[in-house]
Amino acid sequence: MREAGIRGAGRRLASAWADRLEAWLNNIGLKKKLALLYIVCVLLPLVLTDSIILGVIVSADRKADRKEMQNAAEAIRYSLKNTLDSAADLATNIYSNRYINEFIGGSYETPLEYYNAYLAVMEDSLLETVIGQNGRLVIYADNPDIVNGGYFARLESVTDSDWYQSFLGRGQEIAALAWYDARSGGAGNTRQKRLSIVRRMDYYEKGRSSDVLFLDLDYGAVSRSLTNAGYSSTVYVCENDRILFSNDGRGGVSTAFESIAAQTKEAAGVHGRMTVYGDTWDIYVMKPSAGTAEVLARNLPLIAFLVLVNVGLPFLLMVGINRSFTRRLQLLDEAFEKQADDSLPFLPQTEGRDEIGRLMHSYNAMADRMNGLIRTVYKERLKEQEMDIARQKAELLALHSQINPHFLFNALESIRMHSVLKKEYETADMVEKLALMQRQNAEWSRDMVRVEEEAGFVEAYLELQRYRFGDRLSYRIETDRECRDYLIPRLTLVTFAENACVHGMENKASRGWVFVQSRIRGKSLELEVEDTGSGMSAAQVYELQDKMNRAGIGQLREKGRVGILNACLRLRMATKDRVSFSLESEEGAGTIVTVRIPLGALEKERTVQEGR
């Protein structure tokens, strides 16, 4: 039972994932689906397998390079050991020669006696024959009767030399010394690198004799043999950090030993060691300069073949399948997008016998049936549109008829109050302003006016109200240049200014202001009317703002702020309900009405003129 439950849960999980995958794929275009199929099922597996093959090739090439570096290190170890061992064997033979040991330990009364003994030992020991081409040999004896010259010299002549001090410091019977001879002057004493075998001559006086044998090898020959070996990698033979030999041309026989850098050691491909008579020499074989790019370049024909077979041919096939699907589906998509309101277009040609070809035939049949139905209902649809237009015009005319008496009443009331209270004949200017307002009501040939014109109507109305309120009313009108040519419904801004005067200033005895501003803020036209009148409570603000944003024909039949709702409804109709109203008020402080209209919902005066 438990296993069955687990299998059931697994099937449900798999089904849920399958549904999610299907929903995701349903939102992707066919061309992208085919590209995804090619990438996931063809390209990625091929790239993975080809990468593995190339990785095997590169790995094999690196293994071959490492094997070659190891062989180079072993060959260098063998060559140096053979050279040094040959010299050491020669030194050992001389070390144990009885004639030579008796000669360097003998006493000589005169230089002539020494010279005769020298000739005899050279003849008996065959020293010149033994040395041959192995290098320069000198035996340094602690014997004051020895005359410096040839193969023998007094020890006191070299006790201060670097090589002798180095040999004594090692405390060994025999040593291989790589050293730099910094002396100058005299034949054979030029500054140069040297490689020498030094051995104690105490065969018959073990541990008591200080005599030494000095065999100087040809350092240049050893260095040239390393260079001429033709190793593909750079090689360094070092004693501690001193570079004794290298094949990179660094330095020469006459220059002092250089030090190897720590990063060079770390970059070495192979590090070998050899023991040289108590000392340890390091052999560093550097990695070949050929990197992965060069390895790939050497295998370029194979890579090109793999790309052609595994990527190119599937890609060409996928492109052909993609064109077969998407081109015909695109024809269907374009047909649906280009359909007119009164008919569906026919596909000029149908291709193929597959599912898409049958779909194209079915579309043409459907378009023929749909066009017949459209022709049947088209006349009824036109009648309904005409009725809607007539109803909208009737509603607009009803709005217009409400505006004229509303403004006329307030203007005449201002004149009456002025005449009663002032008893002055200053009505000429007021009548002029009234005439301007009345002219706008009478000449309602078009409902839309420029913001700049509407600002002029506001100014005329506020001038009329100044006769009523006197010094109690002050106003300021600001219209930004960039918003002057935008069109808004006639007398909408005037309505908000009227509301500020009548409801804001009428019940306030102190002086008040009305500010009217039109500006562009962001991507919207912003109309703002502010007064410093008596203000409203929070409940009144909430109720009025709700009515302004929901203004409709039904609300205009109710009593109350008809002018405000009229203006809001006309703004909503003119902007296709893309206008928003904001109302802020505080009792005793004043009220701010803000109208925001997206610029995309407005037209400019020049646009209307071009259309006429």
Side-chain angles (χ1 to χ4, degrees):
M1 293 293 293
R2 183 178 180 182
E3 293 180 357
I6 293 175
R7 287 196 297 271
R11 285 194 296 270
R12 288 192 297 272
L13 181 61
S15 177
W17 277 106
D19 292 341
R20 291 182 182 180
L21 179 61
E22 182 180 0
W24 179 66
L25 290 174
N26 288 340
N27 296 322
I28 299 178
L30 183 60
K31 183 180 291 186
K32 292 182 178 179
K33 289 178 183 176
L34 292 174
L36 183 64
L37 177 66
Y38 172 72
I39 292 173
V40 174
C41 298
V42 179
L43 187 60
L44 287 181
L46 292 176
V47 169
L48 180 61
T49 54
D50 290 352
S51 299
I52 294 174
I53 294 173
L54 292 177
V56 170
I57 293 174
V58 172
S59 177
D61 204 80
R62 289 178 176 174
K63 288 181 179 179
D65 288 340
R66 182 167 182 81
K67 184 64 177 177
E68 185 177 353
M69 289 187 290
Q70 290 174 342
N71 292 337
E74 188 62 32
I76 293 169
R77 183 186 296 109
Y78 175 79
S79 176
L80 288 175
K81 184 173 177 57
N82 185 56
T83 299
L84 294 173
D85 286 349
S86 297
D89 290 343
L90 173 61
T92 301
N93 290 334
I94 297 173
Y95 158 76
S96 60
N97 188 286
R98 181 172 61 86
Y99 298 108
I100 295 176
N101 279 279
E102 289 177 352
F103 172 74
I104 61 176
S107 298
Y108 308 100
E109 296 293 335
T110 63
L112 179 59
E113 183 181 354
Y114 169 79
Y115 179 69
N116 290 330
Y118 174 80
L119 293 177
V121 75
M122 292 298 293
E123 183 177 353
D124 293 339
S125 64
L126 302 176
L127 189 59
E128 289 182 335
T129 305
V130 173
I131 296 174
Q133 301 296 322
N134 288 288
R136 185 176 67 89
L137 174 69
V138 179
I139 298 174
Y140 295 96
D142 189 13
N143 186 347
D145 294 338
I146 296 295
V147 178
N148 292 333
Y151 295 102
F152 301 92
R154 289 195 294 270
L155 183 62
E156 63 184 21
S157 63
V158 294
T159 52
D160 294 333
S161 63
D162 293 338
W163 67 265
Y164 182 74
Q165 294 297 325
S166 177
F167 176 71
L168 289 181
R170 294 169 187 256
Q172 300 172 184
E173 289 293 320
I174 185 171
L177 302 179
W179 58 289
Y180 180 70
D181 190 356
R183 297 175 299 168
S184 61
N189 289 329
T190 56
R191 300 172 186 267
Q192 59 180 337
K193 295 175 183 175
R194 292 181 180 274
L195 179 63
S196 307
I197 296 293
V198 183
R199 182 162 184 56
R200 290 187 181 275
M201 291 294 293
D202 58 352
Y203 185 76
Y204 293 101
E205 300 180 42
K206 205 66 175 177
R208 291 178 294 171
S209 175
S210 58
D211 301 341
V212 295
L213 180 149
F214 177 82
L215 179 58
D216 195 15
L217 304 179
D218 189 348
Y219 176 89
V222 177
S223 179
R224 286 192 297 273
S225 67
L226 181 64
T227 303
N228 295 334
Y231 300 119
S232 58
S233 302
T234 302
V235 177
Y236 299 101
V237 179
C238 302
E239 180 184 28
N240 296 326
D241 288 338
R242 286 195 310 160
I243 300 176
L244 304 182
F245 302 99
S246 68
N247 63 344
D248 63 349
R250 178 176 297 188
V253 177
S254 60
T255 59
F257 292 105
E258 298 182 25
S259 296
I260 188 170
Q263 56 266 31
T264 304
K265 292 182 181 180
E266 295 174 358
V270 170
H271 175 208
R273 287 185 173 179
M274 61 181 294
T275 302
V276 183
Y277 303 107
D279 290 338
T280 300
W281 288 4
D282 295 295
I283 301 173
Y284 298 100
V285 183
M286 308 308 294
K287 295 177 182 178
S289 58
T292 303
E294 295 186 14
V295 174
L296 296 178
R298 289 200 298 267
N299 296 277
L300 188 60
L302 175 61
I303 297 173
F305 175 76
L306 291 175
V307 170
L308 177 63
V309 173
N310 295 334
V311 179
L313 295 180
F315 176 76
L316 293 177
L317 179 61
M318 185 61 65
V319 169
I321 296 175
N322 194 354
R323 285 178 55 84
S324 173
F325 276 96
T326 57
R327 190 174 63 83
R328 292 181 295 166
L329 289 177
Q330 188 175 4
L331 290 175
L332 280 169
D333 184 62
E334 291 176 354
F336 281 108
E337 287 184 353
K338 293 179 180 179
Q339 59 180 304
D341 291 337
D342 56 350
S343 65
L344 291 176
F346 285 93
L347 293 174
Q349 58 182 5
T350 58
E351 302 176 1
R353 299 179 181 178
D354 58 356
E355 290 80 356
I356 299 179
R358 292 197 297 271
L359 181 62
M360 298 175 76
H361 285 286
S362 299
Y363 169 79
N364 279 341
M366 180 196 69
D368 184 50
R369 291 194 298 270
M370 290 295 294
N371 288 336
L373 293 174
I374 290 173
R375 285 192 294 271
T376 301
V377 302
Y378 184 66
K379 292 182 179 180
E380 295 182 2
R381 182 177 175 184
L382 286 178
K383 289 181 180 179
E384 291 179 358
Q385 290 180 349
E386 290 175 355
M387 292 176 63
D388 288 340
I389 293 173
R391 179 178 56 80
Q392 292 178 7
K393 287 183 177 179
E395 291 178 352
L396 185 60
L397 290 175
L399 294 175
H400 292 172
S401 64
Q402 288 179 340
I403 293 174
N404 292 335
H406 185 73
F407 280 101
L408 182 58
F409 173 79
N410 285 300
L412 293 175
E413 178 65 16
S414 296
I415 297 173
R416 186 186 69 80
M417 291 295 298
H418 178 76
S419 300
V420 171
L421 298 176
K422 295 289 185 177
K423 296 181 181 181
E424 296 177 354
Y425 297 97
E426 299 176 1
T427 58
D429 190 30
M430 294 180 63
V431 171
E432 180 182 1
K433 300 298 182 185
L434 178 60
L436 175 62
M437 299 296 298
Q438 186 61 27
R439 189 179 302 112
Q440 299 304 321
N441 293 332
E443 297 177 359
W444 207 302
S445 59
R446 57 189 178 97
D447 188 47
M448 306 298 287
V449 296
R450 294 166 59 240
V451 172
E452 187 175 25
E453 294 181 52
E454 183 70 7
F457 303 157
V458 173
E459 184 177 6
Y461 175 79
L462 292 177
E463 280 293 326
L464 285 171
Q465 292 294 347
R466 287 188 65 181
Y467 283 102
R468 174 181 178 181
F469 294 104
D471 293 337
R472 288 171 52 204
L473 174 64
S474 298
Y475 68 87
R476 184 171 69 236
I477 301 173
E478 296 180 357
T479 305
D480 291 352
R481 180 180 299 275
E482 58 268 20
C483 69
R484 293 178 181 177
D485 292 330
Y486 282 100
L487 300 178
I488 59 174
R490 183 190 300 268
L491 298 182
T492 51
L493 192 57
V494 174
T495 302
F496 294 112
E498 176 212 359
N499 189 73
C501 289
V502 174
H503 298 284
M505 306 298 299
E506 193 171 54
N507 298 324
K508 189 171 182 179
S510 61
R511 183 177 181 181
W513 277 84
V514 175
F515 302 97
V516 181
Q517 187 173 14
S518 306
R519 58 178 176 265
I520 300 295
R521 178 164 291 180
K523 295 183 178 181
S524 299
L525 171 65
E526 196 170 274
L527 308 174
E528 184 176 278
V529 178
E530 178 183 1
D531 67 75
T532 59
S534 55
M536 293 181 288
S537 65
Q540 291 174 321
V541 169
Y542 176 80
E543 180 182 3
L544 179 57
Q545 181 166 325
D546 181 63
K547 288 182 177 181
M548 291 169 66
N549 285 298
R550 294 187 302 103
I553 294 294
Q555 292 178 339
L556 298 182
R557 299 189 183 99
E558 302 174 359
K559 295 182 179 180
R561 299 174 184 265
V562 177
I564 287 281
L565 298 181
N566 189 316
C568 293
L569 177 58
R570 292 169 60 229
L571 282 168
R572 290 183 61 190
M573 294 175 65
T575 61
K576 297 181 181 180
D577 207 17
R578 295 174 64 184
V579 62
S580 64
F581 305 97
S582 174
L583 184 62
E584 300 176 23
S585 184
E586 182 179 352
E587 288 185 306
T591 304
I592 302 176
V593 179
T594 305
V595 181
R596 295 184 181 87
I597 308 172
L599 296 180
L602 297 171
E603 294 184 353
K604 284 190 175 183
E605 175 68 20
R606 60 174 180 272
T607 305
V608 175
Q609 291 175 353
E610 289 172 359
R612 287 202 295 263

